[in-house]
Amino acid sequence: MSKELTSRAEDYSKWYNDIVVKADLADHSAVRGCMVIKPYGYGIWENMQKTLDKMFKETGHQNAYFPLFIPKSLFEAEEKNAEGFAKECAVVTHYRLKTNPNDKSKLIVDPEAKLEEELIVRPTSEAIIWNTYKGWIQSYRDLPILVNQWANVVRWEMRTRLFLRTAEFLWQEGHTAHATKEEAISETKQMLEVYADFVENWMAVPVVKGVKSANERFAGADDTYCIEAMMQDGKALQAGTSHFLGQNFAKAFDVKYVTKDNKQEFVWATSWGVSTRLIGALIMSHSDDNGLVLPPKLAPIQVVIVPIYKGDDGLAKVSETANDIKKKLQAKGISVKYDDRDSQRPGWKFAEYELKGVPVRIAIGERDLANGTVEIARRDTLTKETVNIEGIDSLIENLLNDIQLNLFNKAKARNQELTTTVNSYEEFKKVLDEKTGFVYAHWDGTPETEEKIKEETKATIRCIPLNNVQEAGVCIYSGKPSTQRVLFARAY
RNA sequence: CGGGGUGUAGCGUAGCCCGGUAUCGCGCCACGUUUGGGACGUGGAGGCCGUCAGUUCGAAUCUGGCCACCCCGACCA
């Protein structure tokens, strides 16, 4: 069969790639490093967007849209931010093509059409947004500004992987402006909680919430909060970040407001984002050697109904019951597909929807019609049972909740299994090589030590967990005193 | 960008060493029989062999450049 997947044991990376392509989520495009997100994959993204957008609005945010292009002079205003992103920027230098005089069938860049100032294709939008905010903010009465945008950004990555790292990706970026430091920090933390809530309760992926070390901090931020997820192979994946930007952008773009007692103050900022990378996290958290496994809350199709019949009359009879069940489920807000195509046989459909990760499959045959039953199969456990049609809507509703919970619990158990506390550098290296996963270890807090450990082991500090236990210890690398353990892992 | 690998029909491949216009399976189209875990039969369509150049009477095959993808590094959400 051409649709057979590479197994995880055989080649984990290939398995991941196979799933993306064979489950019809996305494909490589004609453009280096850029992917085509296909309808089924985009359906997952739409569900993510819908949920996150609602959460953002419930926490007081509004959507807006800013330009794709950022004039170079604006881009370079915040020095650290500019420096951090400079080496992966796409740059627009001309605004016109013309026919090649030597070959009429070809176009060349018109040298006459050089831009006065280069335009940077946004790798992130702080610069253009803070330049805009300058005009929006005069008084404390204009604050806070709580804005989000859904957009695409471009980061010219050396090496790309479908969903996990593409040169162009879709994301949302929230950019807020506040009168006080406390309020901005509280916003930063609030959005981290929103992300954690979404990733754990919708994606069914457990996360560790924490703060990045200085080395791993967003360019231009005073603090970067993050959620770190663990993939099946024990590697970490940064699933979302929320930055406290201090007054860095306000100072770079001269954004001040007048306080109640008529003083000029710089504005405090945050930014936060998650991207289509989350789809990669979803795949690598739950899927198996049979294909994708989707959490019911984000599955484009939650239930598929497959008819089993002989002849047109048989199909008509089965369809009546199938459509009836479909209506009942839809009334409960469940998304249902009734696949009555005659061009594929039932066995083919079973395999296909398994590969695509549809959480629940209902099979109805003429045998069932006689008994008043259907066969229900769940994707997460690959188990089947025959149940009465009576009350099927509630049963499926509960089953979807069960699957959602089961996926989370399985991932949670794996996380715990693959989380180790170590006390020596030897042990640290051994765990990383032999067991993989998250490793908690004492660290002296210096960037130098972090850098050395990274060089020698490829493991980075994923975060300093929030509400971390404070305990005296010694750094596994330098032997210097340490007050807490931090989370290390090899990461995507 | 450095190291390694791969590129032949929609997909997976044989052929390449030893140059003579491409093999097989799946998929696709038509018709018929089928339909409770990826059906079967018969007939059919589809490939300037990644791309550009060179060697040659002749290149999938030999030589070189380029491009894309995969793996390992550096970078990163």
Side-chain angles (χ1 to χ4, degrees), chain A residues 56-227:
Chain A
F56 297 157
K57 285 175 181 155
E58 281 167 358
T59 44
H61 303 87
Q62 291 178 294
N63 286 330
Y65 189 78
F66 297 85
L68 169 66
F69 303 117
I70 305 173
K72 187 163 123 315
S73 57
L74 290 185
F75 187 76
E76 65 201 6
E78 209 295 321
E79 240 173 88
K80 281 188 182 152
N81 185 248
E83 195 191 319
F85 284 100
K87 59 192 174 304
E88 52 193 46
C89 285
V91 184
V92 181
T93 55
H94 292 74
Y95 59 86
R96 192 165 62 210
L97 299 171
K98 66 173 191 180
T99 303
N100 184 348
N102 301 321
D103 182 352
K104 293 276 192 280
S105 69
K106 296 285 196 294
L107 293 170
I108 58 167
V109 174
D110 186 346
E112 302 290 308
K114 195 168 183 326
L115 289 169
E116 290 280 313
E117 181 180 0
E118 293 89 347
L119 295 172
I120 313 301
V121 180
R122 64 179 167 217
T124 180
S125 301
E126 278 78 6
I128 187 73
I129 287 179
W130 277 86
N131 180 255
T132 308
Y133 281 179
K134 181 178 166 58
W136 291 5
I137 300 165
Q138 277 86 43
S139 150
Y140 71 92
R141 292 185 171 136
D142 299 322
L143 295 171
I145 293 176
L146 304 173
V147 162
N148 174 65
Q149 87 165 342
W150 290 96
N152 58 339
V153 287
V154 169
R155 295 182 188 175
W156 214 265
E157 301 289 351
M158 303 276 183
R159 221 178 113 199
T160 58
R161 293 192 71 191
L162 294 169
F163 287 117
L164 292 178
R165 190 179 302 108
T166 45
E168 178 194 15
F169 57 93
L170 305 184
W171 76 345
Q172 59 68 218
E173 44 181 330
H175 294 273
T176 69
H178 305 266
T180 65
K181 180 178 182 178
E182 293 66 37
E183 191 184 300
I185 290 176
S186 135
E187 164 79 3
T188 311
K189 289 181 177 169
Q190 172 186 245
M191 298 324 287
L192 187 78
E193 293 300 329
V194 165
Y195 287 156
D197 179 17
F198 174 74
V199 174
E200 294 202 324
N201 296 316
W202 269 262
M203 291 174 57
V205 174
V207 296
V208 175
K209 293 177 277 193
V211 187
K212 287 290 186 192
S213 64
N215 277 1
E216 300 281 324
R217 198 177 282 156
F218 176 76
D222 281 1
D223 256 320
T224 288
Y225 291 76
C226 64
I227 48 173

Side-chain angles (χ1 to χ4, degrees), chain A residues 264-280:
Chain A
Q264 295 273 330
E265 298 279 0
F266 282 112
V267 174
W268 297 86
T270 84
S271 70
W272 28 274
V274 295
S275 72
T276 36
R277 176 180 240 202
L278 288 180
I279 296 176

Side-chain angles (χ1 to χ4, degrees), chain A residues 50 77 125-126 136 150 153 183 240 255 260 264 281 287 308-309 320 326 335 372 384 405 409 437 465:
Chain A
K50 207 175 355 176
S125 301
E126 278 78 6
W136 291 5
W150 290 96
V153 287
E183 191 184 300
V255 187
K260 280 182 188 174
Q264 295 273 330
S287 301
I308 297 156
Y309 58 92
E320 204 178 311
K326 182 179 173 182
S335 81
K384 294 189 283 198
L405 202 62
N409 289 338

Side-chain angles (χ1 to χ4, degrees), chain A residues 329-399:
Chain A
L329 293 176
Q330 283 175 329
K332 292 253 185 196
I334 297 168
S335 81
V336 187
K337 174 172 176 171
Y338 175 41
D339 188 352
D340 61 352
R341 285 177 299 172
D342 193 36
S343 54
Q344 307 294 356
R345 303 172 84 248
W348 187 92
K349 292 176 187 173
F350 292 170
E352 179 70 8
Y353 291 110
E354 239 159 59
L355 178 62
K356 289 194 164 186
V358 174
V360 173
R361 182 185 71 233
I362 301 175
I364 311 174
E366 290 177 76
R367 198 164 75 206
D368 291 304
L369 295 183
N371 300 335
T373 60
V374 294
E375 183 192 78
I376 293 180
R378 51 189 284 180
R379 178 62 183 90
D380 60 336
T381 55
L382 293 169
T383 51
K384 294 189 283 198
E385 60 174 331
T386 301
V387 303
N388 283 317
I389 291 180
E390 190 74 27
I392 185 138
D393 47 346
S394 309
L395 188 128
I396 298 280
E397 193 177 35
N398 292 333
L399 182 57

